[in-house]
Amino acid sequence: MTIQVAKLSDPAVRAFVTAVNAHDRDAFQALLAPGATMSDDGSDRDLADWTDREIFSSHGHMDVDNESRGGLALIARYSNDTWGEMRTRWSFTVDDGGRISRFETGQA
């Protein structure tokens, strides 16, 4: 059962999912701490290149099925025009200013 985005516990993660689903690159960038990093399936990736390719250019969309760790870990059905839909895991590190300094994703 999908969790409504507005009901996600962590404000930064809620804003992340909202920005992804709205394809709002500016809002997405505003959520990231300076020097933010990410990994996909355990390999660090260039954040700007990955987000352009996997989210914005390919119409990425997240339907969250489960959250844990106070909303900093998600299980979601992620879809985009390149890969279709897959079950994914997401883990977020949020800095003291409420910005995302790192996220990790991969198949669940």
Side-chain angles (χ1 to χ4, degrees):
M1 185 165 134
T2 302
I3 299 171
Q4 293 178 354
V5 176
K7 304 240 184 218
L8 294 173
S9 299
D10 186 84
V13 173
R14 184 170 54 245
F16 180 97
V17 175
T18 298
V20 167
N21 290 351
H23 308 113
D24 187 338
R25 190 184 302 259
D26 292 336
F28 183 89
Q29 292 298 325
L31 296 167
L32 301 177
T37 61
M38 63 87 53
S39 72
D40 183 7
D41 281 327
S43 297
D44 279 2
R45 306 286 186 197
D46 177 272
L47 190 139
D49 177 63
W50 188 92
T51 56
D52 180 60
R53 187 180 63 252
E54 300 293 338
I55 297 174
F56 298 107
S57 294
S58 61
H59 306 101
H61 186 87
M62 298 174 73
D63 289 311
V64 179
D65 291 329
N66 189 321
E67 68 172 359
S68 58
R69 292 187 25 238
L72 295 175
L74 306 177
I75 298 295
R77 285 171 285 118
Y78 186 78
S79 61
N80 68 22
D81 293 345
T82 304
W83 305 107
E85 184 177 296
M86 66 188 84
R87 186 170 165 82
T88 56
R89 58 174 172 66
W90 299 76
S91 178
F92 297 88
T93 304
V94 177
D95 70 14
D96 292 337
R99 294 173 78 187
I100 295 170
S101 59
R102 180 167 177 84
F103 69 91
E104 299 175 3
T105 188
Q107 293 191 49

